[in-house]
Amino acid sequence: MITTKRIHQLPVHLANQIAAGEVIERPASVLKELLENSLDANSTQIEINIERGGIGLIRVQDNGAGICKDDLKLAVSPHATSKIETSADLEGIVSYGFRGEALASISAVSRLYLSSAIAEEDIGWSIKVEGRDTTPALMPVPKCCGTLVEIKDLFYNTPARRKFLRAEKTEMNYIEEVFKRIALSQPQVAFKFAREGRLQKRLPICRNLEAHARRIAMVCGQSFIQDAYYIEAETNGLRLTGWLGSPKAMRSQADLQYFYVNGRIIRDKVVMHAVRQAYQEMNIEGRYPAYILYFELDPAAVDVNVHPTKHEVRFREARTVHAFLSYAIQEGLIKGKEALSNFSKAPQNLQKKFEFKDPKQAFSFLYQSEEPNVQSNKLFSAEIVEKKASEKFLSILDGNFLFVENEEGMTVIDVPMARQVLISQSLVYSYEKEGIKKRVLIMPKMIMIPKDHMQKLFDLNWERLGFEITEAGENAVLVRSVPEVISGKIEDINALLSKLLVLDNPHNIFQLIVDSITANQSLDESQQRQLLKDVFEFKKINGNNESSKFCKQFTAQRLRTLLF
Ligand code: ADP
Ligand code: MG
C-alpha cells in the first residue's frame, strides 16, 4: 500500500539553506554578494580580509549608507530588501541586489556577524546569526560609519556542501577572481584586499582614465594594458567603452574577458558572439581575445532577473545590441591598429625619416582621394570632347559664378546650380540604367530607424540607389555601402544616413544627396575646369534650353546693352 505523506511548511532555517544552494556555491559567491551589497550602499571604500580560502573567514567592511537599528533583523530575513518595492521596479533594475535573499541564505550556512551604523544615529548596532537561531539579539556597538559583515565557518552545518569545496588554495583563486571582477567594474571605489590579515592589494580611487588604466595594470597585469586599444563608442543610448587586447594579446584561454553591462559582469552569448565576430572580421588569429569592456544602456532595455547569480541577462533588442557591439569593437580595432602603426610601433629612426612640414603635402595622396570628384561622373566625362583653346577660363566670383571667354563672347555659369543639376542628372541616369555605383564603407554604419518606418524601409530598391543595407534588430540597420558620389565627401555620414533612410522616394533621396555634397563646398581650380567641361558637354547633349538654368551666354553686343 502506498502511504500518502502530509504536506507541511518548511522551517525558515531549512528553506534558507535550500535557497543558499542556488546562490552560495562556494566562499567566492559569498564575497560577491557582500561586495555587491557594499556597492549598492554607495560605498567609496571597501576593505576585505579572507582567511583559509574564505572557509575560515570572509570579512567585508565598507563606508556606505549603513543599516538602521530597526532594519538589521530584516536584512538577514529571506525576501527582505530595500532595493525594490513593486514589480514595476523589476523592469529597470539599477542595483546589484534585489532578491533580498543573500544575507538570509549565507546566515543559514555559516556564522554571520553584521554590524552597521547610519549617519543619523549616535551608536551602531550589531547582530549575530548562527545556525537555527532565527531571532538574533541586537547589541550596541561603537559608531563607525558603514557596515561590517563577517562570515565564519562556511558550510559548517551542511557537510554535504562542504565536501564539494576544493583545496583552500583553489577557493582562494575563485575569491581573487571575484575581487578582480568587482575591482575592475568600480574604478570610483577604493579597495583593500588582505589575506590572513596581510594586505595584498591596495587600489586607490580612479579619478581619470589614466588612473583607471593603472588599476587595470595592477589587477590584470602590465602586459595587457600596454598594448590594449582604448575604445569609446556611442549610438542612440548604447555606449561602449573600455580596452581591447591587441592581436598580440590573444590568449590560449578565455581568462581575460571582462564584459560589464551597467556595471554588472556577465557572460552572454550575444555579447561573446559579437566580440568574436569583430575580431574575426579583422582577421585576427588566435583563440581568445582579451578585453575589459563597459557597456551601458537604459536599464529598462535589459533584463537582469534571468538567473539567481545574475551572470546572465536578456537584452530586449538583442540584434541591435549585437550589431552595435560588433561595429564598435571593429572600429576600435581598426583605430587602435592605425594608432599603433603610426606612432609607437614605428622605430625612432623611421619616424624621423618621414618628418614633414606640411601635412597636406605629406599625405597628398590621402587628400586627393578625399577630395570632391563629383564632376567626373560617368555620364559627362566619358564622352568629353576637349574644347579648343578658344574657350578661356577667366575667373570665379565668390565661388559662385564662373566667367568663361569663348568665340561668341562670354559665358557665365552659376556654379552651385550647375553642380546641382549635373549631379542629380547623373544620379537619375545611373539609377535608371545599371544602378548607382556604390562604394563599400571601411566600417559599416549602424543607423537607428523609427519602428513604424522599418516595415516600409525595404519597399525601396536601396541596392539600385547605391546602398547596401541589412536589418540589425527591430529598429536599426547596418549600412555597408553608400553611393560612390558621397563617399568621403560628407563630414557627418551618420546624420545624413539617418535622414536618407527615412525617405520613401528616389527623387527626394537624390535631392538630399545633391544638397549635402554641394553645401558649403568650394571648388579648387582643377575642379572648376572639370565643371566647365561638364557644363559644355551637358549643353551639347541637352541643348541651350536645359542649360539656361545655370549657364548664360553673352555676346559683346548684349553686354554693351546690359551695361551702358
Ligand atoms: P538584496 O541585496 O537583494 O537586497 P541582501 O540579502 O543581500 O538582499 O541584503 C538585504 C538588505 O540588507 C539589502 O536590501 C540592504 O538594505 C541591506 N544591506 C545588506 N548589506 C548592506 C551593506 N553593506 N550596507 C548597507 N545595507 C546593506
Ligand atoms: Mg545583496
Side-chain angles (χ1 to χ4, degrees):
M1 199 179 75
I2 303 167
T3 49
T4 310
K5 282 196 171 172
R6 297 295 306 277
I7 302 171
H8 59 93
Q9 197 83 43
L10 287 177
V12 177
H13 179 65
L14 186 52
N16 286 351
Q17 278 190 349
I18 294 168
E22 272 190 0
V23 281
I24 310 302
E25 198 190 338
R26 52 178 10 113
S29 354
V30 173
L31 180 65
K32 171 180 177 281
E33 294 295 335
L34 300 187
L35 289 178
E36 289 188 348
N37 279 346
S38 296
L39 295 170
D40 281 341
N42 293 322
S43 309
T44 55
Q45 264 178 11
I46 302 178
E47 294 182 22
I48 301 150
N49 183 30
I50 307 290
E51 288 176 13
R52 293 182 37 232
I55 301 159
L57 171 75
I58 299 170
R59 184 180 197 275
V60 174
Q61 164 87 64
D62 69 42
N63 68 345
I67 308 169
C68 67
K69 181 185 174 190
D70 294 344
D71 283 356
L72 267 186
K73 284 185 187 169
L74 266 180
V76 291
S77 345
H79 311 300
T81 180
S82 56
K83 299 170 192 174
I84 56 169
E85 280 178 22
T86 66
S87 63
D89 294 340
L90 279 177
E91 299 295 313
I93 289 170
V94 287
S95 54
Y96 285 111
F98 58 86
R99 297 165 59 94
E101 273 186 297
L103 290 185
S105 298
I106 296 167
S107 71
V109 292
S110 69
R111 300 183 218 278
L112 176 145
Y113 173 79
L114 168 65
S115 97
S116 195
I118 59 168
E120 298 80 13
E121 284 172 12
D122 294 334
I123 55 163
W125 292 90
S126 72
I127 50 170
K128 259 189 194 155
V129 190
E130 275 188 28
R132 276 162 223 275
D133 178 13
T134 45
T135 51
L138 285 176
M139 299 291 285
V141 289
K143 178 168 177 166
C144 80
C145 43
T147 302
L148 166 70
V149 188
E150 281 181 354
I151 307 299
K152 287 184 183 158
D153 303 328
L154 187 64
F155 299 139
Y156 78 99
N157 53 356
T158 49
R161 286 242 121 198
R162 187 147 187 158
K163 266 212 302 255
F164 280 102
L165 290 184
R166 310 275 292 278
E168 283 176 16
K169 195 167 164 288
T170 315
E171 293 303 334
M172 195 63 199
N173 290 342
Y174 283 111
I175 284 198
E176 281 174 355
E177 186 57 31
V178 162
F179 172 65
K180 252 179 166 179
R181 290 175 179 183
I182 300 256
L184 290 174
S185 78
Q186 301 292 334
Q188 73 288 1
V189 177
F191 290 92
K192 280 186 190 162
F193 184 90
R195 199 174 152 176
E196 321 294 337
R198 281 188 300 277
L199 187 63
Q200 307 279 306
K201 273 215 162 79
R202 200 181 139 265
L203 306 175
I205 291 181
C206 311
R207 300 196 192 278
N208 52 37
L209 209 57
E210 284 76 50
H212 191 169
R214 265 200 304 280
R215 170 170 297 191
I216 290 176
M218 286 167 88
V219 175
C220 296
Q222 187 70 33
S223 63
F224 165 74
I225 200 78
Q226 229 161 28
D227 289 325
Y229 309 148
Y230 178 72
I231 69 162
E232 208 173 334
E234 190 160 9
T235 312
N236 297 67
L238 308 178
R239 182 175 147 80
L240 185 72
T241 54
W243 284 265
L244 291 171
S246 72
K248 262 175 43 188
M250 295 300 275
R251 297 169 82 84
S252 59
Q253 283 178 309
D255 59 350
L256 212 161
Q257 301 189 331
Y258 297 91
F259 192 93
Y260 298 92
V261 177
N262 293 339
R264 190 189 296 280
I265 192 147
I266 58 137
R267 283 193 84 74
D268 176 82
K269 282 202 261 335
V270 173
V271 169
M272 293 197 334
H273 186 265
V275 178
R276 214 172 29 242
Q277 193 183 49
Y279 272 80
Q280 269 166 5
E281 293 247 329
M282 299 295 304
N283 287 327
I284 295 176
E285 306 266 320
R287 291 174 61 199
Y288 299 101
Y291 52 82
I292 299 170
L293 294 170
Y294 304 93
F295 181 41
E296 287 156 70
L297 75 172
D298 180 355
V302 52
D303 187 2
V304 292
N305 190 17
V306 179
H307 192 268
T309 60
K310 310 184 197 97
H311 278 152
E312 285 171 33
V313 291
R314 202 175 288 130
F315 295 110
R316 304 220 197 279
E317 302 262 6
R319 290 185 64 187
T320 310
V321 165
H322 183 278
F324 167 74
L325 293 177
S326 170
Y327 156 73
I329 294 169
Q330 271 186 58
E331 196 163 70
L333 288 170
I334 290 175
K335 284 190 185 149
K337 221 163 109 190
E338 280 169 4
L340 283 188
S341 56
N342 283 351
F343 302 105
S344 56
K345 297 294 133 181
Q348 284 293 310
N349 54 353
L350 250 178
Q351 279 185 16
K352 253 208 142 71
K353 204 164 148 194
F354 286 104
E355 253 175 15
F356 42 80
K357 294 275 177 309
D358 175 7
K360 196 146 182 155
Q361 187 191 330
F363 290 119
S364 61
F365 64 95
L366 257 184
Y367 283 86
Q368 264 159 26
S369 68
E370 291 290 311
E371 215 73 294
N373 193 22
V374 283
Q375 287 76 31
S376 66
N377 54 56
K378 288 279 165 327
L379 175 61
F380 303 103
S381 58
E383 302 156 55
I384 274 179
V385 187
E386 284 285 333
K387 277 264 167 185
K388 298 175 296 287
S390 61
E391 216 147 61
K392 207 163 128 204
F393 175 71
L394 288 177
S395 85
I396 187 155
L397 178 69
D398 225 10
N400 282 327
F401 295 102
L402 259 181
F403 296 89
V404 188
E405 185 190 331
N406 53 17
E407 279 165 348
E408 296 90 44
M410 184 179 70
T411 307
V412 181
I413 298 165
D414 176 339
V415 176
M417 183 58 94
R419 295 184 68 208
Q420 294 249 347
V421 174
L422 295 179
I423 300 167
S424 57
Q425 280 263 342
S426 152
L427 284 171
V428 173
Y429 178 88
S430 325
Y431 176 71
E432 280 165 5
K433 286 262 166 142
E434 73 274 18
I436 293 170
K437 197 157 184 240
K438 60 188 183 196
R439 169 83 60 90
V440 178
L441 294 168
I442 302 173
M443 279 309 305
K445 303 279 176 202
M446 190 167 82
I447 306 294
M448 307 307 281
I449 306 285
K451 266 202 183 111
D452 55 339
H453 192 80
M454 238 3 226
Q455 302 100 304
K456 292 188 281 185
L457 182 74
F458 290 98
D459 291 351
L460 270 188
N461 187 344
W462 289 101
E463 190 81 26
R464 208 175 173 79
L465 285 159
F467 296 89
E468 204 182 318
I469 296 171
T470 47
E471 236 181 296
E474 272 180 42
N475 61 340
V477 291
L478 267 190
V479 181
R480 297 184 188 277
S481 312
V482 295
E484 196 179 31
V485 66
I486 59 173
S487 148
K489 299 184 186 82
I490 307 293
E491 228 169 69
D492 190 350
I493 187 98
N494 281 43
L496 174 63
L497 288 170
S498 303
K499 286 188 209 153
L500 274 172
L501 297 182
V502 293
L503 297 175
D504 43 21
N505 120 23
H507 290 281
N508 294 343
I509 291 172
F510 297 151
Q511 191 57 52
L512 186 52
I513 290 179
V514 171
D515 289 347
S516 331
I517 41 189
T518 52
N520 310 321
Q521 199 181 49
S522 57
L523 305 184
D524 65 20
E525 203 176 311
S526 80
Q527 292 165 335
Q528 291 163 15
R529 290 189 187 280
Q530 183 62 52
L531 178 66
L532 207 60
K533 283 183 189 172
D534 292 344
V535 166
F536 284 116
E537 196 52 35
F538 179 93
K539 224 168 141 182
K540 218 168 92 187
I541 298 169
N542 299 281
N544 283 345
N545 215 6
E546 278 296 304
S547 60
S548 66
K549 284 182 212 153
F550 55 83
C551 168
K552 280 231 158 49
Q553 176 69 38
F554 297 90
T555 58
Q557 177 63 34
R558 183 149 159 66
L559 271 178
R560 196 164 295 117
T561 46
L562 264 176
L563 295 172
F564 308 103

